[in-house]
Amino acid sequence: MILLNGPSPFQAAYSGPLPVHVIEGDWEEERIVAGLEEASRGRRRLWYLTYPYGDNDPNQLIQHQLDTHSWRGQTRHFPTSQLTTYDLPESPTFQMPIANRSTDLRFGVTPRGSSLKLRSYGFDPAPAQYGRGLSISLDWEALQPPGEDFSASIHLMDEAGHLWGQGDKQIFGTGQSTSHWEAGETYLDRYALYVMPGTPPGRYQLELGVYKTTGNHDLVFTDATGVVGTKRQLGTVEVGPSPIIPSITEMGKGRLTYPLTLSLAS
């Protein structure tokens, strides 16, 4: 199946055997999730055609659903478009974001008070896997106009403090970065954390940090008990085996903790 995120001349030009399905990026998220469920039912692969210079998926809702509920393959780039393959699980389960863990973390401590409050968060209960992003939701409130752009960094850490995955993204809400937020407004933002190739199955800790997008300066947080810091643990997640086998090149980008030798016999 070929998936489009809005009306396209491709629909009239294409005469191949694959069905073409349109899910518009400016739909409500619930409708997007339902559309993806319907389009992927009974299929094991889809091709997602996008136009990077357009604005058909302004909040990246379709992209996030695909990246966190299927396995992303190769992307082919064309002058005005790109085509990405996604392998689907046997029973695709696209779903709305989860932010069911209440908290009170206040970031950006200044003489005028904090700028941002993390009200709640949540993550996909399914095991994380290499090749598929772990969906994480952060529910923000602007306590006062931040006046500048902030980004969030979420790390996947083992008990020894080693990094096994990371998701960095500028904080957005309804298409606006934090420099445009007004006091009292709330925004639900979504993140995809990617597990490094070669990550052993097991339990890992999620760690959150917030920093200034320009300059990468970490913001200090305080919680309801008075704890002050720059990194906050959000909970543990399970990493499971992946159906995707990484290449030797991709393994070189991960964390290899054992010698890798190759013997060539003449």
Side-chain angles (χ1 to χ4, degrees), residues 218-257:
D218 288 336
L219 298 187
V220 174
F221 74 81
T222 59
D223 67 11
T225 65
V227 172
V228 178
T230 57
K231 306 294 182 185
R232 179 62 173 233
Q233 292 185 345
L234 298 181
T236 59
V237 296
E238 184 79 21
V239 172
S242 173
I244 305 299
I245 301 175
S247 66
I248 293 296
T249 300
E250 291 170 323
M251 288 293 291
K253 300 175 183 178
R255 179 182 295 278
L256 295 178
T257 56

Side-chain angles (χ1 to χ4, degrees), residues 141-145 182-186:
E141 178 183 353
L143 299 177
Q144 58 181 313
E182 298 294 336
E185 294 182 325
T186 60

Side-chain angles (χ1 to χ4, degrees), residues 111-181:
R112 297 184 296 121
S114 300
S115 298
L116 291 179
K117 174 183 174 181
L118 181 64
R119 306 192 311 162
S120 63
Y121 63 93
F123 39 84
D124 193 334
Q129 296 173 307
Y130 165 71
R132 178 176 63 86
L134 175 67
S135 180
I136 300 172
S137 302
L138 303 179
D139 184 16
W140 299 102
E141 178 183 353
L143 299 177
Q144 58 181 313
E148 56 187 320
D149 290 333
F150 299 138
S151 296
S153 177
I154 303 176
H155 292 170
L156 185 73
M157 314 290 292
D158 65 15
E159 292 182 351
H162 297 138
L163 179 69
W164 290 96
Q166 184 168 343
D168 279 64
K169 188 176 77 71
Q170 190 170 342
I171 301 173
F172 273 89
T174 60
Q176 293 187 326
S177 61
T178 55
S179 61
H180 297 90
W181 291 8

Side-chain angles (χ1 to χ4, degrees), residues 6 18 46 49 55 59 68 91 99 109-110 118 127 133 161 171 180 193 198 205 214-215 221 225 229 251 255 265:
L18 295 177
L46 64 79
L49 180 64
D55 196 29
N59 294 313
T68 57
S91 300
V109 180
T110 70
L118 181 64
I171 301 173
H180 297 90
L193 182 143
Q205 184 70 231
T214 301
F221 74 81
T225 65
M251 288 293 291
R255 179 182 295 278

Side-chain angles (χ1 to χ4, degrees), residues 31-53:
R31 186 181 178 188
I32 288 175
V33 169
L36 287 170
E37 287 278 357
E38 178 186 351
S40 62
R41 190 172 295 118
R43 306 188 184 281
R44 297 306 303 270
R45 174 171 291 181
L46 64 79
W47 284 260
Y48 185 38
L49 180 64
T50 58
Y51 299 87
Y53 301 106

